[in-house]
């Protein structure tokens, strides 16, 4: 299962997705397991995270300004290295 990561998407692309109107989620520095029952697309406003897939896939570093899509069925560990603030959408 592949985590899709795009560094610095354009404002036009974010507007087309409606990303700035999505809810906001925040998380303090921490490490926790997560499972995606459905796809999630998010846009990081702040933070630094390393997401490590449980299936042995390569860890992915996500930082402020990144647009990320996590596939349904993905189990992973989130290592929040600096506090996160992100827009997100499931489905």
């Amino acid at each position: 299962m592949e985590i899709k990561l795009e560094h610095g998407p354009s404002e036009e692309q974010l507007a087309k997705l409606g990303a700035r109107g999505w809810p906001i989620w925040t998380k303090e520095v921490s490490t926790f397991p997560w499972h995606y029952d459905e796809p999630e697309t998010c846009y990081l406003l702040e933070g630094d995270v390393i997401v490590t897939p449980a299936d042995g896939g390569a860890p992915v570093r996500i930082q402020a300004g990144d647009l990320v899509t996590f596939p349904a069925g993905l189990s992973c560990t989130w290592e929040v290295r600096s506090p996160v603030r992100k827009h997100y959408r499931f489905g």
Side-chain angles (χ1 to χ4, degrees), residues 11-72:
E11 280 300 322
E12 181 181 7
Q13 182 180 0
L14 294 173
K16 189 174 181 179
L17 291 169
R20 297 218 184 261
W22 298 343
I24 289 180
W25 180 83
T26 60
K27 187 68 175 173
E28 69 282 354
V29 172
S30 56
T31 300
F32 59 92
W34 192 254
H35 177 78
Y36 291 90
D37 291 324
E38 56 185 318
E40 178 191 356
T41 302
C42 63
Y43 177 67
L44 259 70
L45 299 167
E46 300 171 12
D48 182 13
V49 180
I50 294 178
V51 178
T52 304
D55 66 4
V60 175
R61 186 173 184 185
I62 304 164
Q63 297 178 292
D66 289 344
L67 181 66
V68 190
T69 302
F70 300 98

